[in-house]
Amino acid sequence: MIRDKWQTIKVILNPYAGRGSAARNELNICQALNRANVRFDLAKTTSVGHAIDLARQARLEGYHTLAVAGGDGTVSEVVNGLAQVTPSQEQVGTLAILPMGSGNDFANTVGCPIHLNAAAEAIAKGQTRCVDLGHIKLRVGTQEWQRYFNNNLGAGFEGQLAQEIKTIKHLRGILIYIAAVCKALCHYTQPLVELNWQTPTGEKKTILKKVLMLSVGNSDRNGGGFHVTPQALLDDGLLDLAIGEAMPWYQILALLPKVIRGTHTNHPKIMIHQCCKIGIVCKDTLPVHADGELLTINADALDIEIQPQRLKVII
């Protein structure tokens, strides 16, 4: 008998999430869903980007709800897969999360239960909320491509951190990000960027300056517990842009504890603006990440905008 894809969820499991904890918990995931009487089919990723393909195919096959057993990067890939096969004016479908990552920033912020059994029970109940999506057009040389982000985007130092995190194998949680900061400080060059943005009232702003980082928040938390954009809300139809001006390494280290707590907003080198659209142009090398996943180390330009209420999430 063919299973009704509308009543059956597709679970996309990233075995490598949480430094391999997702693979070790595969049986527990299946048992938790079975106890909650959730019908599901399960597929496992085999490489970076595979979750995009699996999500796209699941949507085309008629699955209405996709559950991510992984971390923020896997969530982001599934969101991108859904968005790629959904008309731009429609919601991309319903997303559930079985948190298995090192940081689980989006799951924490959106209101998904962190413990496995509670997450499975939430899927069974089906209560949802709608949140915004960020959309990026990114240019590297003569190439241009598009990407979505549900939690945050970082250019400059945050992008460099995403590069460094890939080389750290034996830490978890916020310790990974602190170690990445120390490594990035050794060789990161703070670039000159031209930055323009549109305010909620339609006013256009432009600046040209050397920056440490540019962080675009759809939510208030990223990096396993850093609150770079502490006032950002997932469903307000706006992006919060944090601009960190260029500063010496000792000021960066002194600022780090404040960024973790979200108490850095009055620092003289930090500016935060609410935006509808953002444009970034850089003649220097500019590393960029979306939802913690490194997109490129040498972006020339980015155009970023918010797409309100496009993603439905089970909480």
Side-chain angles (χ1 to χ4, degrees):
M1 183 178 67
I2 298 176
R3 301 178 75 176
D4 182 357
K5 300 295 178 61
W6 190 268
Q7 299 295 329
T8 304
I9 70 167
K10 185 75 168 188
V11 177
I12 297 177
L13 168 68
N14 176 5
Y16 306 100
R19 306 300 188 190
S21 67
R24 294 189 293 272
N25 278 284
E26 180 180 349
L27 179 59
N28 293 331
I29 291 168
C30 295
Q31 290 176 339
L33 291 170
N34 284 328
R35 282 194 297 269
N37 294 316
V38 175
R39 290 166 50 183
F40 67 95
D41 296 324
L42 186 143
K44 290 184 276 190
T45 66
T46 58
S47 60
V48 174
H50 191 201
I52 296 176
D53 298 331
L54 290 175
R56 184 172 58 236
Q57 185 61 36
R59 194 73 176 93
L60 292 174
E61 290 176 355
Y63 289 94
H64 178 68
T65 300
L66 273 64
V68 180
D72 289 309
T74 316
V75 170
S76 187
E77 286 192 8
V78 169
V79 168
N80 274 270
L82 288 170
Q84 286 178 8
V85 291
T86 304
S88 59
Q89 302 304 314
E90 296 180 10
Q91 284 188 328
V92 300
T94 301
L95 182 76
I97 306 175
L98 300 160
M100 290 286 157
S102 298
N104 299 314
D105 293 302
F106 182 71
N108 273 283
T109 304
V110 78
C112 293
I114 299 302
H115 297 293
L116 182 56
N117 287 332
E121 290 169 2
I123 293 172
K125 293 176 182 176
Q127 180 181 346
T128 62
R129 66 176 291 196
C130 293
V131 301
D132 307 330
L133 282 184
H135 178 261
I136 319 154
K137 289 182 180 178
L138 188 147
R139 189 175 75 239
V140 178
T142 58
Q143 294 185 321
E144 182 176 291
W145 71 92
Q146 300 183 48
R147 183 85 177 198
Y148 294 86
F149 64 97
N150 46 278
N151 198 61
N152 91 303
L153 174 143
F157 193 67
E158 273 195 15
Q160 186 66 41
L161 293 183
Q163 171 83 332
E164 303 297 346
I165 286 168
K166 293 168 63 177
T167 69
I168 300 171
K169 305 298 183 183
H170 304 296
L171 297 174
R172 296 192 64 183
I174 201 167
L175 291 177
I176 298 173
Y177 301 93
I178 293 173
V181 167
C182 296
K183 293 188 69 175
L185 286 173
C186 295
H187 49 76
Y188 175 69
T189 301
Q190 302 180 71
L192 177 68
V193 302
E194 179 182 331
L195 181 66
N196 60 80
W197 67 93
Q198 181 178 317
T199 71
T201 60
E203 188 178 1
K204 295 182 179 179
K205 304 279 189 177
T206 301
I207 61 173
L208 177 68
K209 65 172 56 206
K210 281 196 167 186
V211 298
L212 167 68
M213 67 170 193
L214 302 167
S215 186
V216 181
N218 189 37
S219 84
D220 68 330
R221 169 180 159 165
N222 68 296
F226 287 83
H227 293 81
V228 185
T229 51
Q231 303 302 316
L233 299 173
L234 283 164
D235 55 3
D236 62 353
L238 298 169
L239 294 167
D240 283 32
L241 169 64
I243 305 167
E245 297 183 19
M247 64 185 78
W249 65 268
Y250 56 86
Q251 287 189 6
I252 297 172
L253 290 178
L255 190 60
L256 191 62
K258 294 183 178 180
V259 176
I260 293 173
R261 297 190 301 268
T263 58
H264 61 291
T265 56
N266 292 324
H267 192 279
K269 293 284 189 178
I270 302 293
M271 298 180 289
I272 299 181
H273 303 277
Q274 287 195 315
C275 315
C276 302
K277 295 181 180 180
I278 302 165
I280 303 169
V281 178
C282 182
K283 293 183 179 179
D284 303 315
T285 297
L286 190 63
V288 178
H289 82 84
D291 296 324
E293 296 299 300
L294 185 68
L295 301 184
T296 179
I297 60 171
N298 55 354
D300 296 314
L302 297 93
D303 291 309
I304 308 160
E305 66 178 9
I306 192 72
Q307 297 184 348
Q309 307 288 297
R310 280 210 73 199
L311 179 64
K312 187 180 292 186
V313 185
I314 292 177
I315 59 173

